[in-house]
Amino acid sequence: MFSFHKTPRLIASTCCGVLLASIPLVGAAEQTGRYGYGEPATDEQIAAWDIDIRPDGMGLPEGSGTVDEGMAIFETQCSSCHGSFGEGMGRYPKLAGGEGSLTEDRPEKTVGSFWPYASTLWDYIHRAMPFFAPQSLTDDQVYALTAYVLNLNYIVDGDFVANKETLPKVVMPNHDNFTWDDPRPVVNNDRCMKDCKEEATVSDSAAGKNLTPSTTGPLDEGITQ
């Protein structure tokens, strides 16, 4: 624990014949717990970063958009990369199709075949699209694009209106194929403060079992097959 004086101490020294004086010591702070620089974030600055949308729709803003509105926006803002119908252009990702492909050697992870929530689709479009000008779309435009992409995947009908009430109610086709409970066991060890083991015994190891192929480089030289 360091203790700082409220009034910064000064040092005087010489370097190359130049007198260095009245230089505050690094680490001096006016108040305990503060470092003497920066300023509290304003509500506007916090709001600019607080843009995440939860799977249950928490955080979705006011506004709305239709499938038809989204189709017009998609054609001008998105089709050059994703194609007019979400088929993907060149190496840009597909947004539609891929149903039943997740168990194949080359699965197509599209919005329709893979995504578990519709609300997080709004989050991604708002956060990162279009590629050349992210976060340039209005909330209504993002709602409209979300509706159109969902319609491209036959998840919603053509008269669907996306808003903060309707999006969380959309059930995505692959939702139930995600594992929501962490299957990993809890392996945190209790801290030993007394009567601890003095040594540990290794019951098994890879030594001498030739588990590493000898064809991968000089690190494996000398291994007998």
Side-chain angles (χ1 to χ4, degrees):
M1 178 70 69
F2 291 98
S3 176
F4 298 112
H5 294 278
K6 290 187 176 180
T7 302
R9 291 174 292 171
L10 305 178
I11 61 173
S13 181
T14 59
C15 178
C16 301
V18 179
L19 177 64
L20 304 178
S22 300
I23 302 176
L25 285 176
V26 175
E30 295 183 357
Q31 300 180 29
T32 302
R34 297 182 180 274
Y35 297 95
Y37 60 86
E39 59 186 18
T42 65
D43 292 340
E44 292 77 12
Q45 289 171 329
I46 295 174
W49 284 92
D50 185 19
I51 62 174
D52 62 294
I53 308 301
R54 293 194 336 192
D56 61 0
M58 179 67 71
L60 283 170
E62 298 292 339
S64 65
T66 67
V67 173
D68 288 342
E69 292 168 342
M71 179 170 59
I73 300 169
F74 192 93
E75 187 63 32
T76 58
Q77 299 281 2
C78 315
S79 61
S80 61
C81 296
H82 299 293
S84 297
F85 302 100
E87 71 275 19
M89 302 294 288
R91 299 298 298 272
Y92 288 101
K94 296 181 179 180
L95 301 181
E99 295 86 351
S101 69
L102 297 184
T103 58
E104 298 177 358
D105 292 338
R106 299 182 67 84
E108 294 183 357
K109 295 183 179 181
T110 70
V111 171
S113 69
F114 182 72
W115 283 52
Y117 295 109
S119 56
T120 53
L121 174 61
W122 194 100
D123 179 299
Y124 187 78
I125 295 173
H126 174 247
R127 181 188 304 272
M129 293 291 119
F131 179 74
F132 50 83
Q135 299 187 34
S136 63
L137 300 170
T138 67
D139 292 343
D140 287 341
Q141 288 176 320
V142 177
Y143 274 121
L145 286 171
T146 303
Y148 180 65
V149 173
L150 292 174
N151 179 257
L152 283 178
N153 286 277
Y154 304 102
I155 297 173
V156 300
D157 295 329
D159 59 354
F160 177 74
V161 179
N163 55 48
K164 69 178 185 179
E165 284 79 28
T166 59
L167 268 187
K169 297 177 182 178
V170 174
V171 179
M172 302 297 282
N174 196 45
H175 175 274
D176 293 338
N177 290 326
F178 279 79
T179 300
W180 304 111
D181 295 326
D182 191 341
R184 295 172 296 181
V186 177
V187 294
N188 295 331
N189 292 324
D190 294 331
R191 180 177 297 177
C192 179
M193 304 303 292
K194 62 180 180 179
D195 299 328
C196 303
K197 291 184 178 180
E198 296 183 358
E199 61 182 23
T201 302
V202 178
S203 60
D204 194 12
S205 74
K209 295 185 177 180
N210 295 333
L211 298 179
T212 304
S214 61
T215 58
T216 57
L219 292 178
D220 295 317
E221 290 180 357
I223 295 180
T224 303
Q225 296 295 326

